[in-house]
Structure formats: C-alpha cells, structure tokens
Amino acid sequence: MIQKTPFILAILSMILGVFISILFGLNESIFKDKIEKDLISNEKIINIVDQTEREVKIEDEKSKNWRYYQRFHFHSTGISTMTLSTLLLLAFSLAPSMLKLVCSYMISIGGFLYPFVWLFSAIYGPIMGRSVAKETFAIFGYMGGVFLIGLIFAIFILFRYPIKFLNDR
C-alpha cells in the first residue's frame, strides 16, 4: 500500500479537478452567485461610499475570484497528470526503493495539496479578500515547492540510475 499511495493521490487529484469542472458545466451560476453574495458582505467593499466605485470593485473581484476556481481545476488536473507520468517513469528506474518512495511521496503530496490554495482562496477570498485568503492558505501554496523539489529529485534519479523496461534484456 505504501507504494500505491502516491498513485492514489495522483488519481484522486485528477478526479477532483474533473469533478469541479463537471460542477461548472452543470451549474456555473452556483459558484458565481456565491462569489457575488460574499463580495456584497465583504467589509472593505461595504465601506466604499461611492455606489459606482463599489459596483466596479464587485465586478472586478467577481471575475478574479471566479478565476481562482478555474485555477484549482487547471492545477489539479495538470499537476496530477505530471505526477502520474513521473510516478510511472520512476517505477521503471532501478534506483533504490527508498529513494523512489521518498521522491514519489514528495511529488504526489505536493502535487495533490498545491491546487487547494486556489480552491480555498476562491471559497474564502470574496469574504476575506483575495490577498488575505491566499496568505491564510499559503501552506498549500508551499506544497508547490515540495512538488518542484520532488520533480528535481526525480530528474536526478532518472539520470543517475538506469531505467529498465519490461522488454529490455
């Protein structure tokens, strides 16, 4: 199970990315309506005295917060695809099992958690403010660094140790 977990995380991330896109397709307005409702409750926006300026700010923030939901989808599906392909390539490496396992976990955990910075920023950004939301959930953003270090580690493993495919003699 220890060797399967990184693969499970990669596939789960793919599923989450595709699932949210299905939700977009079924009823995109649920997301956009929630964003608008929360923006209207945002204290900084409420304090804008000029009605026109407030409406412009709400429209601007609506599109930016909607983009965060989309970023979750893009990052979740894209990174999980890179993760799965790297895990498959590592499986053919003749590197020591522990090196491959550590590398696999770095890539899969980092790749799985990183997109959540965008999802949580999309959910909480309208009410908290986008910058505050991103700072609040920055730990998920840092997971992108774990993912990147894992990829660099994978490149090292793939250059340092031979790769053996099933048909190789």
mmCIF file of all heavy atoms in Angstrom, residues 58-75:
data_model
loop_
_atom_site.group_PDB
_atom_site.id
_atom_site.type_symbol
_atom_site.label_atom_id
_atom_site.label_comp_id
_atom_site.label_asym_id
_atom_site.label_seq_id
_atom_site.Cartn_x
_atom_site.Cartn_y
_atom_site.Cartn_z
ATOM 1 N N ILE A 58 -16.854 45.287 -7.187
ATOM 2 C CA ILE A 58 -17.505 43.968 -7.110
ATOM 3 C C ILE A 58 -17.330 43.218 -8.425
ATOM 4 O O ILE A 58 -16.986 42.025 -8.430
ATOM 5 C CB ILE A 58 -18.995 44.114 -6.724
ATOM 6 C CG1 ILE A 58 -19.110 44.502 -5.250
ATOM 7 C CG2 ILE A 58 -19.764 42.820 -6.994
ATOM 8 C CD1 ILE A 58 -20.518 44.847 -4.796
ATOM 9 N N GLU A 59 -17.536 43.885 -9.547
ATOM 10 C CA GLU A 59 -17.377 43.229 -10.858
ATOM 11 C C GLU A 59 -15.948 42.747 -11.071
ATOM 12 O O GLU A 59 -15.724 41.638 -11.549
ATOM 13 C CB GLU A 59 -17.796 44.175 -11.993
ATOM 14 C CG GLU A 59 -19.288 44.326 -12.134
ATOM 15 C CD GLU A 59 -20.032 43.004 -12.312
ATOM 16 O OE1 GLU A 59 -19.620 42.189 -13.160
ATOM 17 O OE2 GLU A 59 -21.017 42.786 -11.584
ATOM 18 N N ASP A 60 -14.985 43.588 -10.691
ATOM 19 C CA ASP A 60 -13.578 43.232 -10.834
ATOM 20 C C ASP A 60 -13.233 42.022 -9.964
ATOM 21 O O ASP A 60 -12.592 41.072 -10.415
ATOM 22 C CB ASP A 60 -12.702 44.431 -10.459
ATOM 23 C CG ASP A 60 -11.227 44.164 -10.676
ATOM 24 O OD1 ASP A 60 -10.863 43.648 -11.756
ATOM 25 O OD2 ASP A 60 -10.421 44.480 -9.768
ATOM 26 N N GLU A 61 -13.690 42.054 -8.720
ATOM 27 C CA GLU A 61 -13.405 40.966 -7.789
ATOM 28 C C GLU A 61 -14.131 39.675 -8.184
ATOM 29 O O GLU A 61 -13.613 38.580 -7.977
ATOM 30 C CB GLU A 61 -13.767 41.366 -6.364
ATOM 31 C CG GLU A 61 -12.828 42.389 -5.761
ATOM 32 C CD GLU A 61 -11.407 41.869 -5.625
ATOM 33 O OE1 GLU A 61 -11.210 40.759 -5.102
ATOM 34 O OE2 GLU A 61 -10.481 42.582 -6.040
ATOM 35 N N LYS A 62 -15.327 39.792 -8.730
ATOM 36 C CA LYS A 62 -16.073 38.597 -9.164
ATOM 37 C C LYS A 62 -15.274 37.811 -10.197
ATOM 38 O O LYS A 62 -15.131 36.596 -10.074
ATOM 39 C CB LYS A 62 -17.431 38.997 -9.768
ATOM 40 C CG LYS A 62 -18.516 39.146 -8.759
ATOM 41 C CD LYS A 62 -19.882 39.506 -9.260
ATOM 42 C CE LYS A 62 -20.191 39.527 -10.697
ATOM 43 N NZ LYS A 62 -21.557 40.008 -11.002
ATOM 44 N N SER A 63 -14.742 38.511 -11.182
ATOM 45 C CA SER A 63 -14.005 37.803 -12.234
ATOM 46 C C SER A 63 -12.704 37.203 -11.702
ATOM 47 O O SER A 63 -12.335 36.092 -12.074
ATOM 48 C CB SER A 63 -13.727 38.727 -13.421
ATOM 49 O OG SER A 63 -12.839 39.752 -13.059
ATOM 50 N N LYS A 64 -12.043 37.912 -10.805
ATOM 51 C CA LYS A 64 -10.789 37.393 -10.259
ATOM 52 C C LYS A 64 -11.024 36.197 -9.352
ATOM 53 O O LYS A 64 -10.261 35.223 -9.379
ATOM 54 C CB LYS A 64 -10.027 38.494 -9.525
ATOM 55 C CG LYS A 64 -9.474 39.532 -10.480
ATOM 56 C CD LYS A 64 -8.775 40.648 -9.766
ATOM 57 C CE LYS A 64 -8.256 41.660 -10.793
ATOM 58 N NZ LYS A 64 -7.666 42.827 -10.156
ATOM 59 N N ASN A 65 -12.081 36.242 -8.543
ATOM 60 C CA ASN A 65 -12.382 35.105 -7.667
ATOM 61 C C ASN A 65 -12.875 33.907 -8.468
ATOM 62 O O ASN A 65 -12.568 32.762 -8.124
ATOM 63 C CB ASN A 65 -13.392 35.506 -6.591
ATOM 64 C CG ASN A 65 -12.733 36.249 -5.456
ATOM 65 O OD1 ASN A 65 -12.063 35.677 -4.624
ATOM 66 N ND2 ASN A 65 -12.892 37.571 -5.447
ATOM 67 N N TRP A 66 -13.625 34.139 -9.513
ATOM 68 C CA TRP A 66 -14.066 33.049 -10.388
ATOM 69 C C TRP A 66 -12.848 32.372 -11.009
ATOM 70 O O TRP A 66 -12.787 31.156 -11.146
ATOM 71 C CB TRP A 66 -15.020 33.572 -11.463
ATOM 72 C CG TRP A 66 -15.296 32.613 -12.560
ATOM 73 C CD1 TRP A 66 -15.039 32.792 -13.885
ATOM 74 C CD2 TRP A 66 -15.873 31.301 -12.465
ATOM 75 N NE1 TRP A 66 -15.407 31.688 -14.602
ATOM 76 C CE2 TRP A 66 -15.932 30.759 -13.746
ATOM 77 C CE3 TRP A 66 -16.343 30.536 -11.393
ATOM 78 C CZ2 TRP A 66 -16.434 29.485 -14.010
ATOM 79 C CZ3 TRP A 66 -16.843 29.268 -11.652
ATOM 80 C CH2 TRP A 66 -16.889 28.763 -12.946
ATOM 81 N N ARG A 67 -11.860 33.184 -11.357
ATOM 82 C CA ARG A 67 -10.639 32.640 -11.954
ATOM 83 C C ARG A 67 -9.931 31.701 -10.980
ATOM 84 O O ARG A 67 -9.294 30.741 -11.411
ATOM 85 C CB ARG A 67 -9.719 33.792 -12.365
ATOM 86 C CG ARG A 67 -8.550 33.381 -13.175
ATOM 87 C CD ARG A 67 -8.968 33.006 -14.574
ATOM 88 N NE ARG A 67 -7.789 32.628 -15.344
ATOM 89 C CZ ARG A 67 -7.795 31.722 -16.271
ATOM 90 N NH1 ARG A 67 -8.894 31.129 -16.621
ATOM 91 N NH2 ARG A 67 -6.694 31.414 -16.903
ATOM 92 N N TYR A 68 -10.042 31.927 -9.683
ATOM 93 C CA TYR A 68 -9.411 31.037 -8.702
ATOM 94 C C TYR A 68 -10.036 29.639 -8.731
ATOM 95 O O TYR A 68 -9.332 28.638 -8.590
ATOM 96 C CB TYR A 68 -9.497 31.622 -7.291
ATOM 97 C CG TYR A 68 -8.537 32.759 -7.019
ATOM 98 C CD1 TYR A 68 -7.651 33.211 -7.983
ATOM 99 C CD2 TYR A 68 -8.518 33.376 -5.794
ATOM 100 C CE1 TYR A 68 -6.778 34.247 -7.726
ATOM 101 C CE2 TYR A 68 -7.644 34.414 -5.515
ATOM 102 C CZ TYR A 68 -6.776 34.847 -6.493
ATOM 103 O OH TYR A 68 -5.914 35.865 -6.219
ATOM 104 N N TYR A 69 -11.345 29.566 -8.900
ATOM 105 C CA TYR A 69 -11.970 28.254 -9.055
ATOM 106 C C TYR A 69 -11.406 27.558 -10.288
ATOM 107 O O TYR A 69 -11.113 26.358 -10.263
ATOM 108 C CB TYR A 69 -13.492 28.377 -9.202
ATOM 109 C CG TYR A 69 -14.234 28.547 -7.903
ATOM 110 C CD1 TYR A 69 -14.853 29.752 -7.591
ATOM 111 C CD2 TYR A 69 -14.334 27.496 -6.990
ATOM 112 C CE1 TYR A 69 -15.548 29.916 -6.408
ATOM 113 C CE2 TYR A 69 -15.024 27.648 -5.803
ATOM 114 C CZ TYR A 69 -15.630 28.859 -5.518
ATOM 115 O OH TYR A 69 -16.311 29.012 -4.343
ATOM 116 N N GLN A 70 -11.264 28.310 -11.364
ATOM 117 C CA GLN A 70 -10.726 27.726 -12.586
ATOM 118 C C GLN A 70 -9.279 27.284 -12.388
ATOM 119 O O GLN A 70 -8.875 26.229 -12.890
ATOM 120 C CB GLN A 70 -10.813 28.734 -13.737
ATOM 121 C CG GLN A 70 -12.236 29.039 -14.136
ATOM 122 C CD GLN A 70 -12.304 30.194 -15.123
ATOM 123 O OE1 GLN A 70 -11.508 31.129 -15.062
ATOM 124 N NE2 GLN A 70 -13.261 30.121 -16.032
ATOM 125 N N ARG A 71 -8.521 28.063 -11.653
ATOM 126 C CA ARG A 71 -7.127 27.690 -11.389
ATOM 127 C C ARG A 71 -7.046 26.381 -10.612
ATOM 128 O O ARG A 71 -6.134 25.580 -10.832
ATOM 129 C CB ARG A 71 -6.400 28.797 -10.625
ATOM 130 C CG ARG A 71 -6.037 29.963 -11.476
ATOM 131 C CD ARG A 71 -5.260 30.984 -10.691
ATOM 132 N NE ARG A 71 -4.956 32.120 -11.532
ATOM 133 C CZ ARG A 71 -4.274 33.169 -11.124
ATOM 134 N NH1 ARG A 71 -3.827 33.229 -9.881
ATOM 135 N NH2 ARG A 71 -4.035 34.168 -11.951
ATOM 136 N N PHE A 72 -7.968 26.174 -9.684
ATOM 137 C CA PHE A 72 -7.990 24.888 -8.978
ATOM 138 C C PHE A 72 -8.152 23.758 -9.989
ATOM 139 O O PHE A 72 -7.418 22.771 -9.947
ATOM 140 C CB PHE A 72 -9.108 24.821 -7.935
ATOM 141 C CG PHE A 72 -9.267 23.444 -7.347
ATOM 142 C CD1 PHE A 72 -8.364 22.984 -6.407
ATOM 143 C CD2 PHE A 72 -10.287 22.600 -7.762
ATOM 144 C CE1 PHE A 72 -8.479 21.693 -5.872
ATOM 145 C CE2 PHE A 72 -10.409 21.317 -7.241
ATOM 146 C CZ PHE A 72 -9.506 20.867 -6.297
ATOM 147 N N HIS A 73 -9.100 23.902 -10.886
ATOM 148 C CA HIS A 73 -9.340 22.883 -11.913
ATOM 149 C C HIS A 73 -8.088 22.663 -12.764
ATOM 150 O O HIS A 73 -7.639 21.532 -12.947
ATOM 151 C CB HIS A 73 -10.522 23.288 -12.794
ATOM 152 C CG HIS A 73 -10.562 22.604 -14.118
ATOM 153 N ND1 HIS A 73 -10.818 21.251 -14.248
ATOM 154 C CD2 HIS A 73 -10.373 23.074 -15.369
ATOM 155 C CE1 HIS A 73 -10.780 20.936 -15.528
ATOM 156 N NE2 HIS A 73 -10.516 22.023 -16.226
ATOM 157 N N PHE A 74 -7.508 23.766 -13.283
ATOM 158 C CA PHE A 74 -6.343 23.649 -14.156
ATOM 159 C C PHE A 74 -5.157 23.012 -13.438
ATOM 160 O O PHE A 74 -4.503 22.114 -13.974
ATOM 161 C CB PHE A 74 -5.906 25.024 -14.683
ATOM 162 C CG PHE A 74 -6.923 25.719 -15.532
ATOM 163 C CD1 PHE A 74 -7.062 27.107 -15.473
ATOM 164 C CD2 PHE A 74 -7.757 25.028 -16.392
ATOM 165 C CE1 PHE A 74 -7.993 27.768 -16.251
ATOM 166 C CE2 PHE A 74 -8.695 25.674 -17.176
ATOM 167 C CZ PHE A 74 -8.816 27.050 -17.105
ATOM 168 N N HIS A 75 -4.883 23.486 -12.220
ATOM 169 C CA HIS A 75 -3.728 22.967 -11.491
ATOM 170 C C HIS A 75 -3.951 21.526 -11.039
ATOM 171 O O HIS A 75 -3.032 20.708 -11.089
ATOM 172 C CB HIS A 75 -3.400 23.861 -10.295
ATOM 173 C CG HIS A 75 -2.732 25.133 -10.680
ATOM 174 N ND1 HIS A 75 -3.437 26.282 -10.925
ATOM 175 C CD2 HIS A 75 -1.434 25.439 -10.893
ATOM 176 C CE1 HIS A 75 -2.599 27.245 -11.262
ATOM 177 N NE2 HIS A 75 -1.378 26.761 -11.252
#
